[in-house]
Amino acid sequence: MRKIAVINQKGGSGKTTTVVNAGAFLAKNNKKVLLIDLDPQAHTTIHLGFEPPEIERSVYDVLIKKTPIKDAIIETYEKNLFIIPASIELASAEIELVNEIGREIVLRDALKKYRAAFDYVLIDCPPSLGLLTINALTTANEIFIPIQAEFFALEGLTKLIQTIDVVKSRLNSKIDVTGIIVTMFDGRKNICKDVSEKVYSHFKKKVFKTKIRENVRLAEAPGFGKSIKDFAPGSHGWEDYKKLTAEILTQEKKK
Ligand SMILES: Nc1ncnc2c1ncn2[C@@H]1O[C@H](COP(=O)(O)OP(=O)(O)O)[C@@H](O)[C@H]1O
Ligand SMILES: [Mg+2]
């Protein structure tokens, strides 16, 4: 089971878009996929057509009320694609967890108790390096970092890598960055090319060959409650996430 935390404490870097769309294409490739929405903004949940106020049990219940994972998983409209949704309450989870022993590994423990297997677990993280993100990092065995091809994108990466190193040495020796994704790329803009080249020269083989181009269809899809796979077949966004997913699948062979 590949458990991948999609993180970057910078908001708007393409985490949610990647989780939903790569998740949908993985499911289409006959992989059983679980998405965990760890962001109180619940964008992954909404992107797949759910309305957080109507959700009965969310990842908040799993973390705080110790609701078994099996009772919080819901099916999406897509075959093989499941989600543990987020709800607004999740915003207070970090504070509520503070006094709990083992607060950094609550999600990992909950998932361990769940027997049914998934091929992929993709965890969408909030735009911070707080306790929710730490829970994602202790649960996962891999990390994907989406980086928006723009000027400030590289700021904060040092802090992010430091956090990952601390988690690796203290809490989860299994974790590694296995994929960097350049997102919102526009080949006509020099700044995009500059940033993208810097990312490739710094992270080298860890960067996926597929760059996700800027594509308005990707930004529209959440409003229709669908992944790009179903919302806009043939669009650049569809093409790029399909290609990215193929790369993600090839990584399996290298393991
Ligand atoms: N490749 C892209 N082209 C155009 N818009 C995009 C693209 N990727 C994401 N977006 C849009 O940019 C915003 C931020 O992306 P999102 O995936 O929500 O980032 P994060 O989860 O890291 O905050 C969203 O409105 C999303 O629809
Ligand atoms: Mg998001």
Side-chain angles (χ1 to χ4, degrees), residues 15-16 39 41 43 124-125:
K15 294 181 286 297
T16 300
D39 185 352
Q41 297 177 95
H43 287 168
D124 189 17
C125 291

PDB file of all heavy atoms in Angstrom, residues 15-16 39 41 43 124-125, ligand 2:
ATOM      1  N   LYS A  15      -2.031  21.240  -4.248  1.00  0.00           N
ATOM      2  CA  LYS A  15      -2.173  19.993  -3.467  1.00  0.00           C
ATOM      3  C   LYS A  15      -3.525  19.330  -3.748  1.00  0.00           C
ATOM      4  O   LYS A  15      -3.587  18.167  -4.144  1.00  0.00           O
ATOM      5  CB  LYS A  15      -2.096  20.282  -1.951  1.00  0.00           C
ATOM      6  CG  LYS A  15      -0.750  20.788  -1.467  1.00  0.00           C
ATOM      7  CD  LYS A  15      -0.752  21.036   0.028  1.00  0.00           C
ATOM      8  CE  LYS A  15      -1.522  22.273   0.446  1.00  0.00           C
ATOM      9  NZ  LYS A  15      -0.995  23.555  -0.058  1.00  0.00           N
ATOM     10  N   THR A  16      -4.586  20.080  -3.510  1.00  0.00           N
ATOM     11  CA  THR A  16      -5.923  19.501  -3.646  1.00  0.00           C
ATOM     12  C   THR A  16      -6.180  19.044  -5.081  1.00  0.00           C
ATOM     13  O   THR A  16      -6.701  17.943  -5.318  1.00  0.00           O
ATOM     14  CB  THR A  16      -6.970  20.539  -3.202  1.00  0.00           C
ATOM     15  OG1 THR A  16      -6.711  20.871  -1.835  1.00  0.00           O
ATOM     16  CG2 THR A  16      -8.376  20.007  -3.346  1.00  0.00           C
ATOM     17  N   ASP A  39      -7.525  18.864   5.323  1.00  0.00           N
ATOM     18  CA  ASP A  39      -7.562  20.327   5.327  1.00  0.00           C
ATOM     19  C   ASP A  39      -8.948  20.812   5.777  1.00  0.00           C
ATOM     20  O   ASP A  39      -9.950  20.462   5.143  1.00  0.00           O
ATOM     21  CB  ASP A  39      -7.251  20.844   3.910  1.00  0.00           C
ATOM     22  CG  ASP A  39      -7.154  22.357   3.863  1.00  0.00           C
ATOM     23  OD1 ASP A  39      -7.480  23.014   4.877  1.00  0.00           O
ATOM     24  OD2 ASP A  39      -6.761  22.889   2.806  1.00  0.00           O
ATOM     25  N   GLN A  41     -10.404  23.347   5.238  1.00  0.00           N
ATOM     26  CA  GLN A  41     -11.142  24.025   4.165  1.00  0.00           C
ATOM     27  C   GLN A  41     -11.958  23.038   3.332  1.00  0.00           C
ATOM     28  O   GLN A  41     -12.796  23.444   2.531  1.00  0.00           O
ATOM     29  CB  GLN A  41     -10.164  24.773   3.251  1.00  0.00           C
ATOM     30  CG  GLN A  41      -9.420  25.879   3.964  1.00  0.00           C
ATOM     31  CD  GLN A  41      -8.398  26.542   3.047  1.00  0.00           C
ATOM     32  OE1 GLN A  41      -8.661  27.560   2.424  1.00  0.00           O
ATOM     33  NE2 GLN A  41      -7.225  25.947   2.956  1.00  0.00           N
ATOM     34  N   HIS A  43     -11.523  21.263   0.716  1.00  0.00           N
ATOM     35  CA  HIS A  43     -11.602  21.442  -0.736  1.00  0.00           C
ATOM     36  C   HIS A  43     -11.650  20.118  -1.508  1.00  0.00           C
ATOM     37  O   HIS A  43     -12.342  20.008  -2.516  1.00  0.00           O
ATOM     38  CB  HIS A  43     -10.439  22.300  -1.235  1.00  0.00           C
ATOM     39  CG  HIS A  43     -10.595  23.747  -0.860  1.00  0.00           C
ATOM     40  ND1 HIS A  43      -9.574  24.667  -0.990  1.00  0.00           N
ATOM     41  CD2 HIS A  43     -11.641  24.429  -0.356  1.00  0.00           C
ATOM     42  CE1 HIS A  43     -10.005  25.858  -0.579  1.00  0.00           C
ATOM     43  NE2 HIS A  43     -11.249  25.732  -0.185  1.00  0.00           N
ATOM     44  N   ASP A 124      -4.462  14.769   1.583  1.00  0.00           N
ATOM     45  CA  ASP A 124      -4.404  16.198   1.241  1.00  0.00           C
ATOM     46  C   ASP A 124      -4.176  16.992   2.529  1.00  0.00           C
ATOM     47  O   ASP A 124      -4.945  16.864   3.484  1.00  0.00           O
ATOM     48  CB  ASP A 124      -5.723  16.636   0.586  1.00  0.00           C
ATOM     49  CG  ASP A 124      -5.619  18.045   0.020  1.00  0.00           C
ATOM     50  OD1 ASP A 124      -4.493  18.538  -0.164  1.00  0.00           O
ATOM     51  OD2 ASP A 124      -6.673  18.653  -0.241  1.00  0.00           O
ATOM     52  N   CYS A 125      -3.124  17.780   2.546  1.00  0.00           N
ATOM     53  CA  CYS A 125      -2.738  18.486   3.776  1.00  0.00           C
ATOM     54  C   CYS A 125      -3.158  19.954   3.756  1.00  0.00           C
ATOM     55  O   CYS A 125      -3.292  20.561   2.705  1.00  0.00           O
ATOM     56  CB  CYS A 125      -1.229  18.390   3.957  1.00  0.00           C
ATOM     57  SG  CYS A 125      -0.689  16.721   4.329  1.00  0.00           S
TER      58      CYS A 125
HETATM   59 MG    MG B   2      -5.955  22.471  -0.784  1.00  0.00          MG
END
